[in-house]
Amino acid sequence: MTLGLGLLYVGCVLFMNGVGTLQKWDPKAMAVMNFFTGGLLVVINTINIACTVVAVGADGIGADFYGIATNMLFGFTYLFVGCTNLFKLDGRPLAWYCLFVAVNTLPCAYLSFVTADPIFGVIWLIWGTLWLAYWFAGAEMKITLGPKFIGWYTVVVGIITCWVPGYMLLADWWKFLY
């Protein structure tokens, strides 16, 4: 249930960030939904950490934190975006964080493929390309991606990998894919 909830709001914030980039909205205005989404994900996953520690004890945690840790990648992304936009900060640290997350999507995709969840394997790879695009866009590399590409790509990725799957998970329709 929390995966569907998180994906729905990540889909919303990606859609809004993409449209905001295309329409050149004030970054401070775009920060609001980033704080809502990032805050929601961090709070939910902090509660999940506490529940996991209580359920399994501090010694037996290990892989129990995998889902929480990967969800926190999203939560911190949107809090980082929100802070960068609200306070008009230099975007390069955010861009390098995006590279860190993009690299982490590779083993996440691999694990999805080997655990018989190929749809999420593909989704992880697509998310990786989006985080990589933001690295190229913000790290002042010689290769640049314009705001039009970033905006449209963000909208498309948000809809097909987050909004729709999140809604399907919440409505219990995801099971029909397997």
Side-chain angles (χ1 to χ4, degrees), residues 141-160:
M141 307 299 291
K142 292 185 183 209
I143 301 169
T144 58
L145 302 172
K148 211 172 223 183
F149 171 81
I150 292 291
W152 279 113
Y153 193 56
T154 302
V155 167
V156 171
V157 168
I159 292 170
I160 65 169

Side-chain angles (χ1 to χ4, degrees), residues 2 5-6 9-10 34-50 67-80 97:
T2 59
L5 177 69
Y9 282 93
V10 169
N34 283 278
F35 282 127
F36 287 159
T37 302
L40 174 71
L41 293 171
V42 168
V43 167
I44 286 172
N45 286 290
T46 300
I47 292 168
N48 286 341
I49 288 170
I68 295 168
T70 57
N71 277 302
M72 287 290 210
L73 293 171
F74 290 88
F76 288 136
T77 296
Y78 300 112
L79 291 176
F80 208 153
Y97 174 75

Side-chain angles (χ1 to χ4, degrees), residues 112-157:
S112 292
F113 284 121
V114 300
T115 58
D117 196 357
I119 294 173
F120 264 97
V122 171
I123 287 173
W124 272 111
L125 292 174
I126 294 169
W127 288 335
T129 63
L130 182 62
W131 268 301
L132 193 61
Y134 275 92
W135 175 64
F136 278 119
E140 296 186 6
M141 307 299 291
K142 292 185 183 209
I143 301 169
T144 58
L145 302 172
K148 211 172 223 183
F149 171 81
I150 292 291
W152 279 113
Y153 193 56
T154 302
V155 167
V156 171
V157 168

